[in-house]
Amino acid sequence: MKKIFLNKALRILLATNAMIIVAAAMLGPIYALFVKDIGGDLLDASIAGGILALVAGITTLTSGKYSDKIKENELIIVLGYTIMGVGFLLYFWVNSVTFLFIVQAVIGFGEAIYAPAFDAVYSKHLDEHKSGTQWGVWESMNYFTHAMGAFLGGVLVTVFGFQSLFIIMAMLCFGSALYIFHLKRSVL
């Protein structure tokens, strides 16, 4: 099999985005258990998921337009990762379904802020003759990190509880944001 070439920018984007995806995936399969722990039910968990998606969907349209106008899209990625980290950290204090809905909106907003800018920066660094392969690498990373995150989240909550999980999720986001922020602007 021929080796897949990924330039430095793509490797950085894949690694930092993998941390974000792992963070989000750690809660996914056990989310309903958390909602039950704070007094919610399956319908509340479903509504919360819908709120995240609705906020992300609405915000993505504006974020995409804005990312086309700004020169340093990597800073928009940093902002989105940071907002998601704040949202994940806010889970630590969620004690009601209403607060959960607010936190879901924050996370959806953060995801919508970074996603179009991420796609623009990733696309900018693609080899025009291997763009399908290089996007395929991102897609594979997405699935593998979801699998890893789902497993890790279950283990972490079983051993340490939800509160520890939320701190780790936030740290992964903040670590990715800080790494990109401190890169030389010419790298991405």
Side-chain angles (χ1 to χ4, degrees):
M1 182 174 179
K2 203 173 187 180
K3 188 173 180 181
I4 299 172
F5 171 74
L6 297 172
N7 59 46
K8 182 177 181 178
L10 292 180
R11 290 192 312 269
I12 289 169
L13 288 166
L14 286 166
T16 55
N17 196 236
M19 291 169 55
I20 301 301
I21 295 169
V22 165
M26 286 197 287
L27 185 57
I30 54 177
Y31 182 73
L33 296 173
F34 172 69
V35 174
K36 185 178 178 188
D37 283 355
I38 62 160
D41 57 24
L42 288 176
L43 181 59
D44 294 325
S46 298
I47 292 169
I51 289 170
L52 185 149
L54 184 64
V55 169
I58 292 168
T59 306
T60 298
L61 296 171
T62 304
S63 176
K65 287 181 182 179
Y66 186 71
S67 72
D68 287 339
K69 295 177 183 177
I70 194 165
K71 184 178 180 181
E72 295 180 332
N73 274 326
E74 59 272 14
L75 296 179
I76 297 174
I77 297 169
V78 169
L79 176 63
Y81 286 178
T82 302
I83 292 169
M84 287 185 70
V86 168
F88 291 151
L89 198 56
L90 286 173
Y91 276 134
F92 194 86
W93 294 282
V94 168
N95 57 6
S96 70
V97 172
T98 303
F99 190 30
L100 174 67
F101 291 167
I102 293 167
V103 169
Q104 289 294 103
V106 169
I107 295 167
F109 182 73
E111 189 170 328
I113 292 294
Y114 96 76
F118 177 90
D119 291 348
V121 174
Y122 194 88
S123 294
K124 179 174 79 172
H125 293 286
L126 293 174
D127 177 329
E128 67 182 69
H129 301 291
K130 295 181 180 170
S131 61
T133 300
Q134 291 174 333
W135 270 114
V137 171
W138 181 87
E139 294 291 344
S140 289
M141 177 277 299
N142 182 39
Y143 289 117
F144 292 138
T145 54
H146 268 95
M148 183 173 63
F151 174 74
L152 287 174
V155 170
L156 288 169
V157 169
T158 299
V159 175
F160 301 109
F162 278 108
Q163 304 300 3
S164 297
L165 176 67
F166 301 146
I167 292 170
I168 292 168
M169 290 165 61
M171 287 173 38
L172 288 169
C173 292
F174 295 145
S176 287
L178 282 171
Y179 185 82
I180 292 174
F181 182 76
H182 288 292
L183 280 175
K184 290 181 183 177
R185 292 297 122 212
S186 61
V187 174
L188 296 180

